[in-house]
Amino acid sequence: MRKMKMSNPRKWRAKARTGAPNARQKRNGLYLDAHPFCHHCHWRLSKEAHHRLPKKHKLRYDWRYMEALCRRCHIVEHQQAKLTIVINR
């Protein structure tokens, strides 16, 4: 079994952000404002928008295919997705 390199979300989140928010950040912010609690654990505040469709899909930003998640649940969601890809190969 091939071992996949995991990204380091803590390093990414620690990066300083500069400039005005772009369209994606505004759209995700509106979604999080409308869905204040995590869709998985239902008790922590949502901090990140998770897209259930691939990046190139035309409906990726449709709210029907998004989930508001807390940071912990978002990390778990992506770890499970990577594990599924490794197992299916």
Side-chain angles (χ1 to χ4, degrees), residues 79-89:
Q79 287 174 342
Q80 288 174 348
K82 287 182 180 182
L83 182 61
T84 303
I85 291 169
V86 170
I87 291 172
N88 288 335
R89 283 189 178 178

Side-chain angles (χ1 to χ4, degrees), residues 3-67:
K3 202 173 193 181
M4 293 192 72
K5 184 178 179 183
M6 298 294 288
S7 63
N8 189 340
R10 288 185 186 184
K11 274 187 183 176
W12 180 83
R13 286 189 188 93
K15 281 176 142 179
R17 304 287 178 232
T18 58
N22 60 28
R24 178 187 54 82
Q25 292 166 329
K26 289 177 187 176
R27 186 173 40 244
N28 289 351
L30 288 171
Y31 184 78
L32 293 175
D33 288 344
H35 301 89
F37 291 98
C38 178
H39 285 174
H40 284 198
C41 66
H42 303 289
W43 64 275
R44 283 192 290 267
L45 292 176
S46 60
K47 299 287 184 186
E48 300 179 1
H50 175 67
H51 302 269
R52 291 184 285 162
L53 296 175
K55 288 185 179 180
K56 298 291 182 182
H57 199 282
K58 64 181 180 180
L59 295 175
R60 176 175 168 83
Y61 297 105
D62 191 327
W63 281 19
R64 292 177 291 175
Y65 305 105
M66 292 173 67
E67 294 177 320

